[in-house]
Amino acid sequence: ETGVTQTPRHLVMGMTNKKSLKCEQHLGHNAMYWYKQSAKKPLELMFVYNFKEQTENNSVPSRFSPECPNSSHLFLHLHTLQPEDSALYLCASSQEKLAGFPDTQYFGPGTRLTVL
Amino acid sequence: AQTVTQSQPEMSVQEAETVTLSCTYDTSESDYYLFWYKQPPSRQMILVIRQEAYKQQNATENRFSVNFQKAAKSFSLKISDSQLGDAAMYFCAYTRDSNYQLIWGAGTKLIIKP
């Protein structure tokens, strides 16, 4: 595998289910991101992890719970979601440059989530 | 607040011709990065080109080039010799500092006519 991979590619779940999205990066990066992409809206940054530490949480509801066990893996745990949470969830990674300025973000193919 | 505006929801161009996608942004920062990303129907977001704000020279990647006008806060993307594979959503994005947050535009859908 190369680049950034995400599983599953498609997920349908009920409002009472618990599921997890997985992201893995094979680029040796140290920062990872979760984004939500809804139709006709700009990408919304959800979470940022840098060296496994969460550095950003953009007021995301607690029904979304991220986990970053190491610099290569990122999970998004989902529980009691709402239909409006249906969207494409994108994972990205980047390498922090000198002086703390982030480098280009590389994206996975996304997980298309449908909440019934 | 920092914003990125892509005023063209959709653009179409004849194959082999040139098209320019517009992007404007609002910031009070002097040092930042600008990006164009492409998202084809397969959904994989792919970096097209990036520009450092401190560089006056416009970035170029093969058939893709930008017109960066810092004073006007404008960052347009020019695609020369358009190909069918260029059909995609194109997103302009901006990042200002070390908080890792990219600010995204709403995207422009580019249609290539054969």
Side-chain angles (χ1 to χ4, degrees):
Chain A
E1 293 279 13
T2 59
V4 181
T5 58
Q6 288 186 245
T7 55
R9 294 293 305 274
H10 300 269
L11 178 61
V12 179
M13 58 187 289
M15 292 168 61
T16 58
N17 291 158
K18 288 185 180 181
K19 296 286 185 183
S20 295
L21 309 185
K22 179 183 176 182
C23 174
E24 184 173 0
Q25 59 97 357
H26 309 267
L27 300 169
H29 292 163
N30 51 31
M32 296 188 76
Y33 312 74
W34 279 118
Y35 286 92
K36 176 183 179 183
Q37 186 177 27
S38 304
K40 299 184 179 179
K41 291 175 67 176
L43 268 71
E44 301 171 56
L45 179 66
M46 301 174 73
F47 302 103
V48 181
Y49 277 82
N50 184 28
F51 289 104
K52 302 186 298 177
E53 299 296 322
Q54 188 178 121
T55 57
E56 198 82 23
N57 175 341
N58 274 359
S59 303
V60 180
S62 59
R63 57 186 184 269
F64 294 92
S65 174
E67 179 190 0
C68 188
N70 54 60
S71 294
S72 298
H73 294 85
L74 185 64
F75 295 89
L76 188 62
H77 303 299
L78 317 171
H79 62 97
T80 59
L81 294 191
Q82 305 298 312
E84 60 265 28
D85 296 322
S86 298
L88 181 67
Y89 288 84
L90 294 169
C91 174
S93 70
S94 70
Q95 181 66 40
E96 182 179 357
K97 296 176 72 174
L98 290 176
F101 212 109
D103 206 340
T104 301
Q105 293 182 20
Y106 293 85
F107 286 79
T111 295
R112 173 67 66 188
L113 174 66
T114 303
V115 182
L116 301 176
Chain B
Q2 281 79 19
T3 57
V4 176
T5 303
Q6 293 180 249
S7 59
Q8 307 148 317
E10 186 174 299
M11 291 279 287
S12 63
V13 62
Q14 206 70 38
E15 192 177 4
E17 303 215 327
T18 296
V19 64
T20 299
L21 309 183
S22 66
C23 173
T24 58
Y25 57 95
D26 182 26
T27 182
S28 56
E29 304 289 329
S30 59
D31 193 16
Y32 48 88
Y33 286 62
L34 294 160
F35 302 85
W36 278 99
Y37 280 87
K38 164 186 176 181
Q39 188 178 36
S42 65
R43 304 190 315 227
Q44 185 100 35
M45 192 79 77
I46 304 164
L47 176 70
V48 175
I49 200 165
R50 60 179 272 168
Q51 173 82 41
E52 291 87 345
Y54 64 86
K55 289 186 178 179
Q56 293 189 341
Q57 186 173 6
N58 289 326
T60 300
E61 286 288 342
N62 301 314
R63 298 182 295 106
F64 299 87
S65 61
V66 299
N67 183 4
F68 174 47
Q69 302 289 327
K70 191 172 184 179
K73 296 178 185 175
S74 170
F75 182 60
S76 60
L77 175 70
K78 185 171 85 170
I79 306 173
S80 305
D81 185 25
S82 299
Q83 300 175 2
L84 294 177
D86 295 333
M89 285 291 293
Y90 284 80
F91 294 93
C92 178
Y94 148 94
T95 185
R96 56 183 168 93
D97 57 27
S98 59
N99 76 349
Y100 302 95
Q101 180 154 186
L102 277 173
I103 311 298
W104 294 82
T108 296
K109 182 178 181 180
L110 179 63
I111 298 167
I112 310 294
K113 298 177 183 177

